[in-house]
Amino acid sequence: MQDPHAAPRRFLRLLAAAAAAWIALFPGAAEAAKPAAKKPAASARPAAGTISTKYRFKKPRSVRKSTKYIVLHTTEGSSKGSIAKLSANGECNYVVDTDGMVYVIVDRSRVAYHAGLSMWNGQTGLDSVSIGIEIVGWHDKDITAAQYAALRKLLSELKAQYRIPDENVLTHSMVAYGNPNHWQKRKHRGRKRCGMLLMLPAARTRLGLLKKPAYDPDVKAGRLKDADPELTKILYTPMPPAKAAPKTPAAPGTTAAKPPSPAPDNPAPFASNVIGPKRSAWDIARDQYDAPTTVYAFPDGTSKRGDQIKNWNKMPAGTIVSVGPAASENANEGLLTIGEDGTAEDLAGDAMAATSTYYFAPGRPYAAGSTLSLADIAALPKGTKVLVDYKVAGPVTAKVPVFSLCGSKWNHPDTYYWTSAGGLVPGDQVTDRTIPRGALVFFRK
Ligand SMILES: [Zn+2]
């Protein structure tokens, strides 16, 4: 007779091996991997939704011209590290901690860099039209009762102030899109799963959000390919009819939001972090596949970080993938490199020869894709930098200030200044005084 515990034991051994590999690569990871210290007793806790200004991002940010959406995120990391990182980079307007405490990072009226490469209903660059709220937690785990209460209070205040309808409260996974990569040949939805469980009807109801979008407008219009149907199923599960909405909120600590059970012919969608014939590194790690914080433990016992892997075609089945906390929620997808990130076709896909794709080969003037033949593009040397879906303006001179060319995008981390002498300089590494005179500015459309 088969030992009924063999499979779970094998799984635990795999898990332990992956954890050991991860800890070996990152000294200090063992500390971070420990369960969070016990929270103080309920009586000592702040009331859920109490706003603390303790962690405020210190640099100035421009005021948004309009506010149409609220975008919800999960930090994918523990409280302390997440809040420090988000504060340092100004990567959201608010953080909701596990105990319900709300921290202001960037003032609600100002731009926070939270959405990265994003699109909703044809509009790109969601940072300039949305408020970003990070919730300490993980995309595939329910948030705490205190977080539900705090977020509900915060949302109701913001919805009222900015007249934002419930269906415009979205998650990062709904608006993030990816440029083509090794696995996806087209621009696609599914770059991130950030915040996805907050779109399930039970979670929405608990947050006081009674309406949600019925479908992905950009996939429907053909602007993006749906690269993650499992995610789509969760995001667009319809709300129950109004009368059927539960009247009593779930008791604190119970799990209100659960992913729908998979159909029998469909493997459990989020169960496996093991590479197999039908499960790639991208399927498991999404846009963190090549991050230094993602670790691949190979069946032969060796391991590598995502940024150490050169050939994505040679990933052995059975490799265990551990996605660590990312250095940044919005790892810059703007600038890609031929040879490191893939071929020009991998990186730009359909847009390879477009007017909005720009190539910067070492030691040469830059070229728009539309000015090159397909043979020229295929022959671009390794190390050529690529920007997809960008606009160019300039040059920046004393009479033509950069603000007149690209507005508030002038100091975004994914805006680049190019001169033939100095190459590309990211927008977050310049001040208005240090922009190279005569530089062209490349910014996202
Ligand atoms: Zn996010």
Side-chain angles (χ1 to χ4, degrees):
M1 201 178 114
Q2 270 201 327
D3 176 359
H5 302 294
R9 272 209 298 269
R10 183 162 171 273
F11 175 73
L12 285 176
R13 273 203 305 277
L14 288 173
L15 204 67
W22 199 67
I23 285 163
L25 282 162
F26 298 99
E31 195 56 38
K34 276 183 196 162
K38 276 242 156 44
K39 293 283 174 195
S43 58
R45 274 187 209 162
T50 302
I51 293 186
S52 160
T53 54
K54 199 164 127 203
Y55 296 90
R56 196 186 271 272
F57 178 68
K58 299 291 193 299
K59 292 178 207 160
R61 281 285 171 77
S62 49
V63 173
R64 276 189 314 277
K65 297 209 172 58
S66 76
T67 305
K68 298 198 245 174
Y69 305 103
I70 296 172
V71 178
L72 305 177
H73 302 254
T74 36
T75 59
E76 310 300 312
S78 64
S79 160
K80 200 177 163 202
S82 302
I83 296 174
K85 175 182 74 73
L86 295 163
S87 302
N89 303 328
E91 287 190 45
C92 60
N93 296 96
Y94 296 96
V95 186
V96 181
D97 204 349
T98 47
D99 60 3
M101 188 68 134
V102 176
Y103 296 101
V104 181
I105 307 298
V106 173
D107 185 83
R108 62 175 73 180
S109 66
R110 293 178 186 271
V111 174
Y113 302 149
H114 60 95
L117 193 57
S118 50
M119 182 192 294
W120 185 252
N121 208 11
Q123 176 159 28
T124 55
L126 271 282
D127 288 346
S128 59
V129 289
S130 68
I131 293 171
I133 303 177
E134 288 274 358
I135 298 124
V136 175
W138 280 266
H139 70 278
D140 55 355
K141 290 191 181 68
D142 198 13
I143 63 174
T144 68
Q147 284 174 314
Y148 273 114
L151 186 55
R152 183 181 176 120
K153 191 171 155 192
L154 181 61
L155 287 174
S156 90
E157 194 180 310
L158 296 172
K159 284 190 299 178
Q161 181 183 345
Y162 291 98
R163 294 167 189 267
I164 296 171
D166 286 1
E167 58 269 36
N168 284 6
V169 180
L170 308 171
T171 61
H172 194 193
S173 42
M174 295 170 85
V175 302
Y177 76 92
N179 278 319
N181 59 32
H182 180 79
W183 298 274
Q184 302 298 332
K185 299 303 173 201
R186 283 190 56 200
K187 286 201 275 189
H188 54 275
R189 195 72 86 193
R191 174 168 75 85
K192 283 191 174 289
R193 286 180 167 178
C194 184
M196 67 178 188
L197 294 187
L198 297 169
M199 287 310 289
L200 285 174
R204 301 283 289 182
T205 305
R206 224 169 149 183
L207 293 172
L209 301 168
L210 302 179
K211 287 188 174 175
K212 64 186 265 192
Y215 54 85
D216 184 323
D218 300 300
V219 170
K220 191 172 188 189
R223 287 181 284 262
L224 299 174
K225 179 194 160 195
D226 180 359
D228 191 349
E230 293 163 355
L231 170 68
T232 303
K233 213 189 286 175
I234 288 179
L235 296 180
Y236 299 100
T237 305
M239 296 298 288
K243 277 183 186 167
K247 297 222 166 47
T248 40
T254 57
T255 306
K258 271 199 187 119
S261 351
D265 58 339
N266 201 357
F270 305 109
S272 173
N273 65 335
V274 182
I275 292 179
K278 289 189 173 170
R279 199 148 172 84
S280 69
W282 186 82
D283 287 331
I284 297 163
R286 301 288 147 181
D287 67 346
Q288 297 299 307
Y289 73 89
D290 59 353
T293 41
T294 298
V295 174
Y296 294 86
F298 301 112
D300 67 2
T302 63
S303 50
K304 271 187 178 170
R305 302 192 315 250
D307 62 335
Q308 295 172 321
I309 292 172
K310 296 273 178 275
N311 191 341
W312 295 101
N313 285 325
K314 288 193 179 161
M315 298 297 281
T319 299
I320 302 166
V321 186
S322 310
V323 183
S328 163
E329 244 263 273
N330 294 315
N332 194 348
E333 281 221 338
L335 193 63
L336 303 161
T337 307
I338 292 178
E340 283 174 26
D341 300 309
T343 64
E345 188 172 4
D346 285 343
L347 303 183
D350 293 348
M352 202 166 40
T355 43
S356 56
T357 298
Y358 296 95
Y359 297 99
F360 305 81
R364 291 192 216 163
Y366 81 90
S370 54
T371 65
L372 301 173
S373 69
L374 290 180
D376 290 339
I377 293 172
L380 285 164
K382 281 186 181 176
T384 298
K385 306 283 183 193
V386 185
L387 292 173
V388 181
D389 239 5
Y390 267 68
K391 260 189 197 166
V392 59
V396 182
T397 65
K399 286 191 177 165
V400 185
V402 68
F403 204 79
S404 72
L405 298 171
C406 62
S408 64
K409 292 182 181 172
W410 75 272
N411 63 350
H412 276 206
D414 53 4
T415 293
Y416 293 91
Y417 293 90
W418 184 83
T419 55
S420 55
L424 289 162
V425 180
D428 61 352
Q429 289 176 25
V430 300
T431 66
D432 52 354
R433 285 159 200 266
T434 62
I435 294 170
R437 186 60 58 85
L440 296 173
V441 57
F442 290 82
F443 56 100
R444 282 195 201 286
K445 290 211 290 184

